Amino acid sequence: MLKKQRNLTEKCKKSFIGWKLPHTYVILTIILLVVVGLTYIIPGGEYDRVIDPANGKTIVLPDSFHFGEGNRPDFFDIFLSVSRG
């Protein structure tokens, strides 16, 4: 059993030779740039909200969606977003 497990481990190591996972900051930077790029493609919008008199909670009106301007980040906002987050 141990020999089969060792052979399987060797096969897995051979299949991943030459491929290395990038650093965590590289992955986070790529995700950040993709999300910032999507803010220019996907339009922003919002639903209207009202306070429910029965329980005092804020609820969303189902058919009240409308597009808005939204806040698109500037070039320098990309670098500041990590520290602000």
Side-chain angles (χ1 to χ4, degrees):
M1 179 80 172
L2 187 61
K3 188 174 182 180
K4 287 182 182 180
Q5 193 175 20
R6 196 174 301 145
N7 288 338
L8 183 62
T9 305
E10 290 297 323
K11 286 181 183 180
C12 288
K13 284 182 182 179
K14 287 181 183 178
S15 67
F16 290 112
I17 291 177
W19 188 80
K20 192 174 179 184
L21 191 66
H23 195 271
T24 307
Y25 289 131
V26 173
I27 296 171
L28 289 174
T29 303
I30 291 170
I31 292 171
L32 177 69
L33 292 175
V34 167
V35 169
V36 167
L38 288 175
T39 61
Y40 289 97
I41 297 171
I42 301 172
E46 63 183 351
Y47 286 93
D48 292 330
R49 293 176 171 86
V50 294
I51 296 176
D52 187 15
N55 58 13
K57 292 184 179 181
T58 304
I59 58 171
V60 176
L61 297 176
D63 294 329
S64 65
F65 180 80
H66 57 276
F67 292 103
E69 284 188 24
N71 296 333
R72 293 197 168 112
D74 294 332
F75 180 71
F76 292 109
D77 289 337
I78 296 171
F79 301 108
L80 296 175
S81 65
V82 176
S83 62
R84 289 179 186 164

